[in-house]
Amino acid sequence: MMRAAALGLAGLCAFAFAGAAGLVPPVFAGSGGEKAVAIPPSTVDVAPAKGDQVAVLAGGCFWGMEAVFEQVKGVKSVTSGYAGGARGTASYAQVSTERTGHAEAVRITFDPRQVSYATLLRIYFSVAHDPTQLNRQTPDVGPSYRSAIFPQNPGQARVARAYIDQLDKSGAYGKPVATTVEQGAFYPAEAEHQDFARRNPAHPYIVRWDKPKVAALRAAYPRLVR
């Protein structure tokens, strides 16, 4: 599948409806399907802390990641943006060249008294994206769509690495987890990308790829959703 920029179309996530061209590949349960992937909870978690905490996760187009996590109880806000590259290249136009090192990501501000970091990771791995895809999330292709976690402290890094190892050993996906644990600052995306799914519920990309993720979240984790 060629990404939008290669086809001369506008938008990082804008190869909006691959089905219209008959190009829809097999659907991963957490990336367009209606069921979450059954995975165990993490055996480790970040120690409880006072005050709001922040998680930064990359898993393909940030529209869908944002749409999923803004439904979760205890999440205060979700911001779409870019992580892993330099401040000077953190823009829509530059990231779409696939030469900046940035990944499309979301910054999640959450109350750890209501939802833990490991719980957010379970949603991330089972619903929000397919962690076995390397440098892509169907139908988007390129390193900016990679599966990556950007820990905000050593505790988060420890939990992220341990959970990836646990999931690989569980065989839940039938193939290795491609998610990387990386360092790098987060830079908010342009205003038009914020709350995109909520503001554009009938957009073909949202209907095809992101609404099913939200449905999967609600079906798999009803106690975690608002």
Side-chain angles (χ1 to χ4, degrees):
M1 182 71 67
M2 297 177 67
R3 64 187 305 280
L7 294 174
L9 301 176
L12 288 170
C13 309
F15 192 32
F17 195 36
L23 297 173
V24 176
V27 173
F28 170 70
S31 289
E34 296 181 354
K35 294 182 180 179
V37 176
I39 61 173
S42 174
T43 57
V44 295
D45 207 340
V46 176
K50 294 181 179 180
D52 293 344
Q53 303 295 305
V54 171
V56 176
L57 307 173
C61 179
F62 41 33
W63 297 346
M65 291 281 287
E66 182 183 62
V68 168
F69 284 105
E70 69 181 7
Q71 304 293 322
V72 178
K73 290 179 181 177
V75 169
K76 298 289 192 69
S77 67
V78 185
T79 303
S80 290
Y82 314 107
R87 180 185 298 274
T89 58
S91 70
Y92 174 96
Q94 293 182 83
V95 174
S96 66
T97 68
E98 299 297 347
R99 296 193 295 268
T100 66
H102 280 293
E104 288 197 18
V106 291
R107 181 178 62 201
I108 304 164
T109 301
F110 65 99
D111 181 350
R113 295 170 299 179
Q114 297 185 61
V115 61
S116 74
Y117 183 71
T119 298
L120 293 177
L121 290 186
R122 191 181 190 190
I123 292 169
Y124 169 73
F125 283 118
S126 65
V127 174
H129 82 308
D130 178 351
T132 69
Q133 292 195 34
L134 179 65
N135 290 335
R136 72 173 297 159
Q137 282 295 309
T138 303
D140 304 309
V141 180
S144 68
Y145 299 108
R146 67 187 182 272
S147 175
I149 298 171
F150 294 84
Q152 302 299 291
N153 55 55
Q156 289 188 2
R158 177 181 59 84
V159 170
R161 291 191 176 96
Y163 201 14
I164 290 170
D165 184 60
Q166 178 188 341
L167 292 175
D168 269 333
K169 290 178 179 177
S170 77
Y173 303 99
K175 48 186 174 180
V177 172
T179 309
T180 54
V181 178
E182 305 182 21
Q183 295 182 334
F186 176 88
Y187 305 99
E190 296 82 352
E192 58 264 33
H193 293 298
Q194 307 302 333
D195 298 313
F196 189 90
R198 188 160 42 185
R199 293 186 294 102
N200 300 275
H203 191 290
Y205 187 102
I206 300 302
V207 172
R208 174 64 182 90
W209 302 106
D210 297 335
K211 282 192 173 181
K213 294 181 185 181
V214 175
L217 171 71
R218 291 186 171 278
Y221 304 109
R223 295 183 180 180
L224 296 179
V225 297
R226 301 181 193 281

